[in-house]
Amino acid sequence: MIELLQCGDKTLPLHKPQVMGILNVTPDSFSDGGKFKQHSTALKQVEQMIVDGATIIDIGGESTRPGADKVSVDEELNRVIPILCAIKSRFDIIVSIDTSKAQVMTESIRQGAGIINDVRALQNEGCAEVLANTDLPICLMHMQGLPQTMQDNPKYEDVINDIITFFEKRINECLQAGIDKQRLLIDPGFGFGKTLEQNYQILAHLHLFEPLGLPILVGTSRKSMIGNLLNRNVDERLAGSLSTALIAAQHGAKIIRVHDVKETVDTLNILHAVQQQF
Ligand code: 7PJ
């Protein structure tokens, strides 16, 4: 298993779990009026996440929450590129871009993105071709269905095996497109076309993805799988988020995508201290 991930000009160590901090780029963030104010708020949030121990900042310009509306290429570029440039000019940090659009990938890479995080696993037109011409790591996430309808009635023969089969196919197609296996990360996609039960099955059996030989990325932070189990609103899901992060890391996850960076880093440092005893 790869221990060091080359992300453009920066190297990410994977011998212990890394924390990816989520940057909220809200729909009207960069509309004319609020541009500079919103920009400085986002940059302060990035600075805090770096101080708190995030080694990757993940920027997403398309909401993929269940039922979310589609976003045009221009709109997504307007949301993502200015803040990516602002971050890269101020901070020495790996920036991951959460996108499924080839044009957004191309422009992000030109502006210094270090990782491409695609919830559609490079299945959209042109994406694999864009990535074949770079050396950047790519996160292939599993999603059943589309964000608009994915939570309606997700069905699997065997949720773990079905997702493993999906990854095997996607990895093969990436190889055929000219993308090295060493550049790929996998993510089972918590909440993306999964019932509450299925999400916890995946969390319980996350180690079953290890034979694929790729680093595992996990994003459960503040999601419905926590809220619905515990009956908690979004702002009351910290304990649940930390618990799922800890379990994911114990089951082999190498990158944890979170909103609450400081608390997650503390949690993972406790795990690391315990694991050092063996
Ligand atoms: C994920 C993501 C995830 C990866 C989102 C949210 C929804 N990318 N982007 N994995 N989730 N790789 O944060 O609630 O789980 S957006």
Side-chain angles (χ1 to χ4, degrees):
M1 173 80 74
I2 189 166
E3 283 277 303
L4 291 173
L5 195 63
Q6 198 58 43
C7 304
D9 57 0
K10 295 193 57 68
T11 308
L12 185 70
L14 294 179
H15 59 275
K16 63 181 274 203
Q18 300 295 306
V19 172
M20 171 187 268
I22 301 168
L23 182 67
N24 297 314
V25 188
T26 55
D28 51 6
S29 285
F30 303 111
S31 61
D32 289 336
K35 188 166 180 180
F36 295 108
K37 186 167 170 287
Q38 296 290 350
H39 232 111
S40 75
T41 307
L43 289 170
K44 279 199 190 106
Q45 200 190 333
V46 169
E47 184 173 26
Q48 190 61 51
M49 291 197 284
I50 295 171
V51 167
D52 290 342
T55 48
I56 309 163
I57 302 296
D58 189 49
I59 309 178
E62 178 206 13
S63 176
T64 43
R65 286 182 175 281
D69 286 338
K70 288 188 178 177
V71 178
S72 72
V73 173
D74 284 348
E75 175 69 29
E76 200 176 320
L77 285 168
N78 282 336
R79 289 181 190 177
V80 169
I81 302 301
I83 190 69
L84 166 63
C85 294
I87 294 170
K88 289 306 290 183
S89 69
R90 285 169 181 78
F91 306 107
D92 186 28
I93 187 81
I94 298 167
V95 179
S96 140
I97 304 295
D98 190 341
T99 188
S100 299
K101 294 188 178 73
Q103 297 96 321
V104 178
M105 291 177 186
T106 302
E107 192 54 26
S108 303
I109 293 164
R110 193 176 294 152
Q111 301 302 338
I115 298 177
I116 297 297
N117 172 25
D118 185 2
V119 299
R120 294 178 186 80
L122 305 188
Q123 291 178 99
N124 278 356
E125 183 81 32
C127 292
E129 290 76 7
V130 167
L131 272 300
N133 292 318
T134 74
D135 287 321
L136 295 187
I138 304 146
C139 179
L140 302 176
M141 199 198 77
H142 174 272
M143 162 160 55
Q144 184 182 90
L146 294 169
Q148 288 72 26
T149 51
M150 65 190 178
Q151 290 306 107
D152 288 355
N153 187 16
K155 279 208 172 65
Y156 297 86
E157 210 162 290
D158 174 313
V159 69
I160 309 283
N161 280 333
D162 291 3
I163 296 174
I164 290 175
T165 302
F166 168 84
F167 285 136
E168 287 169 343
K169 283 192 190 141
R170 295 308 307 141
I171 293 165
N172 268 329
E173 290 192 24
C174 285
L175 296 182
Q176 277 170 24
I179 298 169
D180 278 359
K181 186 173 175 188
Q182 295 296 308
R183 294 167 52 194
L184 300 176
L185 309 167
I186 52 174
D187 179 341
F190 286 96
F192 287 86
K194 283 111 188 162
T195 63
L196 185 64
E197 172 95 23
Q198 287 158 356
N199 283 311
Y200 282 94
Q201 277 179 316
I202 298 166
L203 186 58
H205 300 292
L206 199 64
H207 56 277
L208 295 177
F209 297 106
E210 283 186 336
L212 289 164
L214 296 175
I216 299 168
L217 189 153
V218 159
T220 53
S221 186
R222 300 184 186 172
K223 284 188 178 171
S224 298
M225 65 178 280
I226 295 164
N228 291 348
L229 185 87
L230 304 175
N231 198 14
R232 298 285 184 228
N233 295 325
V234 175
D235 61 350
E236 303 171 318
R237 297 180 186 173
L238 179 58
S241 298
L242 297 176
S243 308
T244 54
L246 180 65
I247 293 165
Q250 278 184 307
H251 288 255
K254 297 291 192 228
I255 302 178
I256 314 286
R257 180 182 176 277
V258 303
H259 301 88
D260 304 289
V261 171
K262 187 179 185 185
E263 293 83 353
T264 308
V265 170
D266 279 356
T267 302
L268 297 177
N269 280 338
I270 298 286
L271 176 63
H272 187 67
V274 171
Q275 288 176 336
Q276 293 292 95
Q277 306 308 312
F278 293 102

